[in-house]
Amino acid sequence: MALCDDILLCNFPKCRTKLSGFAWVTACSHVFCDQHGSGEFSRSPAICPACSSALSGKLDIVRTELSPSEEYKAMVLAGLRPDVVLDISARALAFWSYQVHQEHMYQEYSLSRAEAQLKQMDKVLTQQNQSRELELNGIRGEITSLKKVMEDYKRKYSEVSERLMERNRQYQKLQGLYDSLRLRNMVVGVGDRDMLPQPVHHDFNTEVARQGTPQRSPQFLSVGHEGDSRFFSCLEADGAKTFFQFSSPAKERGRPFMKKH
């Protein structure tokens, strides 16, 4: 704060607002806003919030108007000797000089704290940058290895693709040969089937029934003269050969011929 600024700040640590209207001034050369001065100096004994000095004197705390009227300025020092006026003015200027010095010291303190925080943050930032750089180098290494793996997979994929295409070509070729051979076999099979004689289909049940049923069964009648005549007449009608054909040919050949007398 410069003298030409003509602005005072509240010396309360958590306030630091620009003063206007009324202010509380202490004998220890501190000034406070009307809000904090009324609150702090209403207790007894009064303690300066800035330097913790005891303010027990009657004029140790004064509530003053920062922008007095022209009438007040004309009458406040009227009648005083010049040395008194100069002494009052010197004390008022000393108060301003102290406030400027205090503000300068406060700004330097704030600047030193800010620089210390900045250095600490810069240190932390440097450590974080180093750790991030290490992580970035590790990630770059992983990316490089993954690129190599990807290139290897691409090469294997191209080889597998070429093999697959070759197998597909072989399969198509074999499929064509198979289709041509199957078509040729179908044509040859149809031709051979046309050249073969047509088989004669026999009904097995009908054949068995025809073989199992005799053409004509002889009728055997009662024994007697009339019965014999009927029996031999039946043989003559059907044929003796048909009746005797049931005898075994081997027996017929082995039986000697006997002449009947």
Side-chain angles (χ1 to χ4, degrees):
M1 183 182 68
L3 288 174
C4 59
D5 292 339
D6 195 19
I7 296 175
L8 290 174
L9 299 177
C10 179
N11 296 155
F12 195 80
K14 296 182 179 180
C15 184
R16 306 279 308 164
T17 59
K18 294 180 181 181
L19 299 178
S20 61
F22 290 91
W24 292 78
V25 181
T26 63
C28 56
S29 299
H30 293 108
V31 61
F32 302 94
C33 63
D34 196 19
Q35 178 182 358
H36 287 97
S38 300
E40 294 293 331
F41 300 134
S42 61
R43 296 186 293 268
S44 182
I47 302 296
C48 179
C51 62
S52 302
S53 299
L55 303 172
S56 58
K58 184 179 179 180
L59 296 176
D60 287 347
I61 304 170
V62 176
R63 184 175 182 266
T64 183
E65 186 178 1
L66 298 177
S67 299
S69 63
E70 295 297 326
E71 291 80 3
Y72 178 81
K73 287 192 258 184
M75 297 302 295
V76 67
L77 296 178
L80 299 178
R81 296 192 305 270
D83 56 339
V84 176
V85 173
L86 291 175
D87 186 37
I88 295 173
S89 300
R91 292 175 183 268
L93 291 174
F95 177 84
W96 270 92
S97 297
Y98 178 78
Q99 286 292 317
V100 171
H101 178 69
Q102 288 295 113
E103 184 65 24
H104 181 70
M105 290 181 62
Y106 178 80
Q107 295 296 336
E108 286 183 351
Y109 172 73
S110 300
L111 180 62
S112 63
R113 287 188 60 186
E115 287 178 351
Q117 292 178 358
L118 181 61
K119 289 180 180 179
Q120 184 67 23
M121 292 177 65
D122 187 37
K123 185 178 179 180
V124 173
L125 181 62
T126 303
Q127 294 177 355
Q128 290 181 355
N129 288 336
Q130 291 177 356
S131 61
R132 296 296 183 273
E133 188 68 24
L134 293 175
E135 292 179 0
L136 184 60
N137 291 332
I139 293 173
R140 287 173 180 172
E142 291 180 358
I143 291 174
T144 303
S145 61
L146 289 175
K147 284 183 178 179
K148 292 181 180 179
V149 173
M150 185 175 66
E151 293 295 332
D152 190 15
Y153 277 124
K154 285 183 178 180
R155 180 178 55 81
K156 291 181 180 179
Y157 174 74
S158 61
E159 292 177 359
V160 172
S161 298
E162 292 178 358
R163 291 179 184 177
L164 181 60
M165 292 175 65
E166 183 65 26
R167 294 294 176 86
N168 287 333
R169 287 193 292 268
Q170 294 178 1
Y171 173 76
Q172 295 294 334
K173 186 176 181 180
L174 292 175
Q175 186 68 30
L177 292 174
Y178 171 74
D179 292 338
S180 61
L181 290 175
R182 186 178 64 175
L183 182 60
R184 185 183 301 174
N185 291 333
M186 290 175 62
V187 173
V188 172
V190 171
D192 293 341
R193 192 163 54 247
D194 293 338
M195 294 176 64
L196 290 176
Q198 299 294 329
V200 179
H201 298 282
H202 297 280
D203 192 353
F204 180 76
N205 294 327
T206 306
E207 188 69 20
V208 171
R210 188 173 59 185
Q211 291 180 0
T213 304
Q215 294 179 358
R216 191 172 184 180
S217 299
Q219 296 180 359
F220 294 93
L221 302 176
S222 60
V223 180
H225 179 72
E226 293 179 358
D228 294 338
S229 61
R230 291 179 182 178
F231 172 74
F232 287 105
S233 64
C234 178
L235 289 176
E236 289 177 356
D238 294 335
K241 187 176 179 180
T242 303
F243 177 77
F244 289 103
Q245 68 181 356
F246 293 99
S247 61
S248 175
K251 291 181 180 181
E252 291 293 334
R253 288 194 302 268
R255 182 182 299 172
F257 177 75
M258 295 179 65
K259 187 176 179 180
K260 187 176 181 180
H261 297 284

